Amino acid sequence: MARTMRALIVFESMYGCTHDIADAIARGVALVGDATTVPVSHAIDEDTSV
């Protein structure tokens, strides 16, 4: 059984530029798997569970 790749992109951004980069990375990853972007302030342990 094949497993789907999942990526969690955690970012911190004061002015939005890093958020934009994180979203661009997520769009690229989404071509081959699941991608989620989460600000550091909202990242929780469950986000990293396999």
Side-chain angles (χ1 to χ4, degrees), residues 9-25 27 37 39:
I9 298 110
V10 181
F11 65 91
E12 184 169 20
S13 183
M14 290 181 65
Y15 302 106
C17 296
T18 306
H19 187 177
D20 291 343
I21 293 167
D23 286 341
I25 292 167
R27 285 192 302 273
T37 56

Side-chain angles (χ1 to χ4, degrees), residues 18-47:
T18 306
H19 187 177
D20 291 343
I21 293 167
D23 286 341
I25 292 167
R27 285 192 302 273
V29 171
L31 297 173
V32 295
D34 296 329
T36 304
T37 56
V38 178
V40 168
S41 61
H42 291 92
I44 56 175
D45 288 340
E46 288 95 33
D47 289 333

